[in-house]
Amino acid sequence: MGRRVAVIGQGHIGLVVSVLATEAGHSVLGYDTDPIRISRITSGGEDLGDVPRDRLAAALATSRFAATTDAAALHGFEVAVISVSTPLSAGRPDLRCLEAAAKTVAAHAHSGCVVIVESTTWPGTTEEIVVPALESSGLRAGVNLHVGYTPERINPGDGIDAMVKIPKIVSGVDAASLAMVAEFWETIVDTVVLAPDMRTAELAKLIENTFRLVNISLVNEIAHHARDLGADVWSAIGLAGSKPYGYMPFTPGIGAGGHCIPVAPRYLAWRIGETGGAAAGLIEMALAVNDAAPVWVSERIPHRPGAARHRRRTGGGARGGDHLQAQHR
């Protein structure tokens, strides 16, 4: 049976969740404070990230999906999924959007509802930041309020259906919450993976992104020195990729981009520092290499008269990419 679902945040993750939940038979309200974003969604006339216009239009046509900036419309939700931005501010975690979203949900929470945090953040955030905000409603997590954390997993560009096939980590503040969170996500994705607790689920997401950062930074550092070593880094990576175990190929570039990889490891490094333990030396070094990568690449691009005109004439594309790769060798 479909549930009344509120998805807080209609960005590149929240909108995907909204459409998939609608297609699964739920009645979904997408909430966002950005009126321009909501207008683009409700028009249904364009592709928005991994949500193609036909899927969005179809979801809207069911009358089970609506998008709004009116928080009062959240009243009566059964499941709320918080999927808002958790950026950096001066190199430190900025949870203002997450805290504001939790307070908005708290104003409309009721006994027995389920609140799920989807945003990437440091271990302990849901327990220490979100739960107290939700409990301002007078409800108590693990008593008459179900709370869980499920880290988002989506590979931008793979399309909306790819998210259904990616195993979903789910966690809860208690056993009953875990069961409720898992039950909801089982209606949307093929596989759910139970985490022992919310902190471990939060850490798992940071590990996934930090793994990629470290390996991207590693191969960029090797590329930096390959010429002095008299070796072709691209050929070396290709040869290493012939090993069928214990290796995953990464290729040099201008550093790690996207929504998560440059940000999530800083959340982890910051949290490790806050616990009073030793500094996260390897993560900090990987971040430094990644931050320096764009400058190093730009310095290797030859600046000659007519170069920009030539790139325009050839249309860039694969040829431009080959040219840039050659400068890494």
Side-chain angles (χ1 to χ4, degrees):
M1 184 176 68
R3 311 288 294 276
R4 294 192 300 276
V5 178
V7 181
I8 316 302
Q10 291 295 285
H12 72 289
I13 299 297
L15 182 58
V16 170
V17 173
S18 294
V19 172
L20 289 176
T22 302
E23 294 176 344
H26 301 290
S27 296
V28 181
L29 179 72
Y31 171 77
D32 201 291
T33 58
D34 183 354
I36 296 177
R37 179 67 175 178
I38 294 300
S39 177
R40 294 177 68 190
I41 292 170
T42 55
S43 70
E46 60 181 307
D47 295 343
L48 293 175
D50 283 286
V51 180
R53 69 186 70 185
D54 60 334
R55 297 283 286 274
L56 178 56
L60 291 166
T62 65
S63 298
R64 287 186 288 101
F65 174 49
T68 184
T69 59
D70 182 10
L74 298 173
H75 181 74
F77 75 85
E78 295 174 89
V79 178
V81 180
I82 299 177
S83 181
V84 297
S85 176
T86 47
L88 294 166
S89 178
R92 297 168 60 88
D94 184 350
L95 300 181
R96 286 176 293 180
C97 290
L98 182 57
E99 291 182 77
K103 290 176 181 177
T104 297
V105 170
H108 303 280
H110 56 87
S111 180
C113 69
V114 183
V115 181
I116 304 169
V117 178
E118 187 90 347
S119 305
T120 301
T121 189
W122 44 262
T125 298
T126 305
E127 182 181 343
E128 298 174 21
I129 304 295
V130 176
V131 166
L134 294 173
E135 291 185 336
S136 66
S137 64
L139 301 172
R140 290 295 173 263
V143 178
N144 53 2
L145 173 65
H146 302 293
V147 181
Y149 179 79
T150 63
E152 56 91 356
R153 276 178 170 170
I154 188 169
N155 193 20
D158 279 359
I160 187 172
D161 291 322
M163 183 173 172
V164 175
K165 298 178 176 63
I166 300 173
K168 185 72 173 177
I169 295 174
V170 300
S171 66
V173 71
D174 65 342
S177 293
L178 175 60
M180 296 289 284
V181 172
E183 179 184 330
F184 169 71
W185 275 106
E186 284 171 346
T187 67
I188 298 175
V189 300
D190 293 342
T191 307
V192 298
V193 181
L194 305 183
D197 54 71
M198 296 189 298
R199 287 173 181 261
T200 304
E202 290 165 331
L203 178 58
K205 172 60 179 178
L206 298 186
I207 289 174
E208 293 172 16
N209 289 129
T210 302
F211 169 84
R212 295 178 67 185
L213 171 82
V214 169
N215 282 281
I216 290 169
S217 296
L218 170 65
V219 78
N220 275 329
E221 185 165 86
I222 291 172
H224 195 120
H225 299 289
R227 180 174 291 179
D228 293 336
L229 296 172
D232 182 336
V233 67
W234 294 92
S235 295
I237 290 170
L239 291 168
S242 67
K243 185 179 181 181
Y245 61 91
Y247 179 77
M248 179 180 293
F250 288 78
T251 55
I254 59 172
H259 298 277
C260 291
I261 301 177
V263 177
R266 296 186 193 275
Y267 269 63
L268 181 54
W270 175 86
R271 186 57 169 172
I272 290 173
E274 287 293 297
T275 62
L282 178 60
I283 299 173
E284 296 285 2
M285 290 176 64
L287 286 165
V289 171
N290 185 64
D291 290 344
V295 174
W296 182 76
V297 170
S298 69
E299 290 174 346
R300 299 194 66 78
I301 298 174
H303 300 285
R304 62 183 186 276
R309 184 170 59 255
H310 173 72
R311 285 196 293 272
R312 285 196 298 270
R313 187 168 60 250
T314 58
R319 185 177 302 179
D322 290 344
H323 179 72
L324 178 59
Q325 290 182 3
Q327 305 314 306
H328 289 174
R329 294 190 177 116

